[in-house]
Amino acid sequence: MNHTAYILVALVVGVLISFQPPINASMARILDSPLFAATISLFISCMLMMVLWLLNDGGKNTAQITALPWWIVIGGIAGAVFVTSSIIIAPVLGMAAFVVCIIAGQLIGSIVIDHFGLIGMDTKTVSMQKILGLILILIGVILVRAD
C-alpha cells in the first residue's frame, strides 16, 4: 500500500473512532455505569481480536508471551483509559473538544516518542514543522473550547 492509501485508511479509522465515545456514553447511560460500559466495550474488542487472531494465526505464538518486555502492558492500560475516559469526558466537553484534546495529547506523546526513539520506534528529530503543527493543534483546543 502506498502512503496515500495508508493516510486514507487512517482517516477512515479516525472517523470510526469518533463514534466510539458517544456510543459508549449511551451504553453507560443505559447501564448507569461508565465502568460497566467500558468493560463491555473492551470485552467486545477482545472477543473480536481473539477471533481474528485465531482465524489469522491459528492460535499460535502464545509461547512468545514470556518474551514480551514489562512495558507492553501500557498499551492495554492506555486502551482501557481511553475508552473509560471517553465515556466520562466526551459527554461533558462535547465530541469536538474531546477529540481535539486527545489529538493534542497524542501529538505531544508522538513527538516525544519519535524524538527519543522510544518503544522500538526509529528516531525522528523534532522539527520546527512538528512544533508548528503542535502549536496549531493547541490553538485548535482553545478555539474548539471557546464556544
Side-chain angles (χ1 to χ4, degrees):
M1 233 177 5
N2 65 33
H3 282 122
T4 303
Y6 281 109
I7 290 169
L8 292 174
V9 170
L11 288 170
V12 169
V13 170
V15 169
L16 181 63
I17 288 173
S18 73
F19 284 86
Q20 186 181 27
I23 288 169
N24 287 340
S26 293
M27 180 170 39
R29 281 191 302 278
I30 293 166
L31 298 174
D32 196 30
S33 173
L35 294 177
F36 189 36
T39 301
I40 300 231
S41 178
L42 292 167
F43 177 77
I44 292 167
S45 297
C46 185
M47 291 299 101
L48 173 62
M49 293 313 303
M50 186 75 70
V51 168
L52 293 174
W53 168 59
L54 289 171
L55 290 175
N56 188 53
D57 294 339
K60 62 183 178 186
N61 302 329
T62 55
Q64 295 170 316
I65 292 173
T66 59
L68 295 173
W70 67 268
W71 46 261
I72 290 297
V73 299
I74 296 170
I77 292 169
V81 167
F82 173 76
V83 169
T84 305
S85 66
S86 72
I87 291 170
I88 296 166
I89 297 170
V92 174
L93 294 182
M95 279 304 297
F98 174 73
V99 168
V100 78
C101 288
I102 293 294
I103 291 170
Q106 287 177 319
L107 190 54
I108 292 166
S110 298
I111 287 172
V112 170
I113 290 167
D114 278 350
H115 183 73
F116 294 104
L118 301 177
I119 318 170
M121 298 300 291
D122 291 336
T123 302
K124 295 189 182 353
T125 307
V126 176
S127 66
M128 284 310 296
Q129 284 179 294
K130 289 179 186 176
I131 297 297
L132 180 59
L134 176 57
I135 290 168
L136 290 172
I137 292 289
L138 293 173
I139 290 169
V141 169
I142 294 165
L143 293 174
V144 169
R145 281 300 302 151
D147 62 347

